[in-house]
Every structure is written in structure tokens, then in C-alpha cells.
């Protein structure tokens, strides 16, 4: 696998983050031309340093260069980077945290329930029901029980898209987990005026 001397994928390049238009340093391109790839651990170290500086584009570039099969070495890295990315203001307008969560999930790396719930909330605000449900499913696979707020986000998102059957599905799933469906419905009605009409 070659070094990370390519531009970040389109979804990352579109993010309005510092360094989004940076090209890899010349020495890295020269390494690529010579067929020399940086060590995986070097990619991880540089990704972490880039995130510490709040540079999501550079972080993505270095993370893209890491060997995805090395899941043992990068499990902690992915968790750290996803958690940090959710706290960076520039990430609000990008899908960088979701991209990293999906990549980590493909390697069997789970996030904390707080991260999944934050991503469900982000997806709900963007009316992306498919993504919200995917994050909820990941949380379930990890053995987590979502909070009333997370289920309310799922129900609200489905209702706003006119998919009432899916709203009912998530209410039933919550009940199966021992969560009071009325608490979820009340949360939706009190917090989301756009959905009130569906429940009145």
C-alpha cells in the first residue's frame, strides 16, 4: 500500500477545515515516486499530531495512509480521533467523524455510546435517517442501550421525513430495551415543533 500522498477523499476535501487545500509535502511525493511507504505507526503518529493541532484535513490524509488491517494498533487511535473530531467546530459542516466511525466499524472497532448518540443527533439534525439508523445499529451491535434523547432523535427524524412506520419501529425497539415509549414521545413533542403535528 502506498503512502498517504493523495488528497483526502471528496467527502473530506469538501469540509471547510484548515489545511483542506494542502498538498502532501514534496518529500512525501518523492518517497511515493521511489516506491517507499512510511511506516504505519508513523502515519498514526502524524495523524494524532495533526488532530492535536485541529487540522482535520491533514489528519484524514495521514489516516488514509495507515494499513486498515492493523486494527489492533489503531483501535485506540480511531476512538481518540473520532472523539476529538466531534469537538472541533469545523467538523460540524463535514462528515469526517462519520467517515472515521464507519471505517473503524468495518475493522470491528466500536465507539463509546456517547459518540454514537452524538452522531445520531447530528444525522437527525441533517434529516439523514439512514445515517442515524446506521449509527443506532452500530451502538446496538456494541451492546449499548441508547438514551431517551437518542431514541427521540430517531423518532423525530423518521417523522419529519414522513416515515411514521419507522418512528413506530424505533418506539418498539426502545420499549424492548426497557425504555418508556411515552417518555420518548413526550421528548419529541416538547423539543421538536416540526413533528408535533404527527402526534396531535
Amino acid at each position: 500500500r502506498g503512502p498517504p500522498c493523495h488528497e483526502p477523499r471528496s467527502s473530506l476535501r469538501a469540509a471547510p477545515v484548515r489545511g483542506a487545500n494542502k498538498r502532501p509535502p514534496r518529500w512525501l511525493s518523492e518517497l511515493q515516486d521511489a516506491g517507499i511507504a512510511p511506516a504505519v505507526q508513523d502515519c498514526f503518529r502524524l495523524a494524532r499530531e495533526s488532530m492535536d493541532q485541529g487540522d482535520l484535513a491533514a489528519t484524514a490524509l495521514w489516516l488514509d495512509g495507515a494499513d486498515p488491517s492493523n486494527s489492533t494498533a489503531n483501535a485506540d487511535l480511531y476512538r481518540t480521533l473520532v472523539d476529538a473530531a466531534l469537538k472541533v467546530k469545523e467538523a460540524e459542516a463535514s462528515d469526517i467523524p462519520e467517515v472515521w466511525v464507519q471505517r473503524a466499524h468495518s475493522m470491528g472497532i466500536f465507539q463509546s455510546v456517547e459518540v454514537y448518540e452524538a452522531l445520531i443527533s447530528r444525522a437527525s439534525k441533517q434529516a439523514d435517517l439512514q445515517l442515524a439508523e446506521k449509527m443506532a445499529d452500530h451502538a446496538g451491535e456494541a451492546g449499548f442501550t441508547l438514551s431517551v434523547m437518542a431514541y427521540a432523535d430517531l423518532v423525530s427524524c423518521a417523522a419529519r421525513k414522513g416515515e411514521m412506520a419507522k418512528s413506530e419501529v424505533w418506539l418498539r425497539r426502545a420499549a424492548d430495551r426497557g425504555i418508556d415509549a411515552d417518555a420518548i414521545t413526550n421528548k419529541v413533542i416538547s423539543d421538536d415543533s416540526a413533528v408535533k403535528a404527527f402526534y396531535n
Side-chain angles (χ1 to χ4, degrees):
R1 181 182 175 89
C5 42
H6 50 76
E7 294 291 342
R9 67 189 68 191
S10 59
S11 61
L12 301 182
R13 191 184 306 118
V17 297
R18 181 169 61 84
N21 296 318
K22 284 183 180 178
R23 298 191 62 83
R26 181 176 177 179
W27 62 265
L28 193 54
S29 297
E30 292 175 351
L31 283 180
Q32 182 186 38
D33 293 341
I36 302 173
V40 170
Q41 290 302 328
D42 288 338
C43 289
F44 290 160
R45 177 178 58 79
L46 290 165
R48 191 184 295 275
E49 290 178 358
S50 297
M51 176 54 75
D52 288 343
Q53 296 171 7
D55 192 336
L56 297 186
T59 303
L61 185 146
W62 287 113
L63 203 55
D64 279 346
D67 182 357
S69 67
N70 193 3
S71 58
T72 300
N74 63 29
D76 177 65
L77 176 72
Y78 271 101
R79 294 189 184 104
T80 300
L81 293 180
V82 169
D83 184 64
L86 285 170
K87 298 174 182 176
V88 176
K89 183 175 179 58
E90 286 82 353
E92 295 176 2
S94 78
D95 64 352
I96 288 177
E98 288 82 1
V99 168
W100 290 349
V101 166
Q102 289 291 84
R103 188 183 307 178
H105 187 79
S106 70
M107 295 183 285
I109 301 171
F110 294 105
Q111 310 300 316
S112 68
V113 67
E114 291 81 10
V115 165
Y116 288 125
E117 291 190 345
L119 293 173
I120 290 170
S121 177
R122 278 166 55 100
S124 177
K125 291 175 182 177
Q126 297 166 6
D128 190 336
L129 180 58
Q130 182 178 9
L131 179 59
E133 291 185 323
K134 185 175 293 183
M135 292 300 108
D137 288 340
H138 288 352
E141 291 173 31
F144 296 129
T145 296
L146 296 174
S147 66
V148 169
M149 179 61 76
Y151 278 112
D153 284 334
L154 288 158
V155 171
S156 171
C157 186
R160 277 186 277 113
K161 293 183 73 69
E163 299 194 36
M164 296 309 298
K166 286 196 172 183
S167 289
E168 296 298 329
V169 166
W170 285 108
L171 285 171
R172 287 196 297 272
R173 288 194 187 185
D176 291 341
R177 289 277 189 165
I179 297 176
D180 184 3
D182 287 340
I184 296 172
T185 302
N186 291 336
K187 191 68 175 173
V188 171
I189 293 175
S190 64
D191 289 355
D192 197 335
S193 59
V195 184
K196 286 182 180 179
F198 288 103
Y199 291 97
N200 291 336

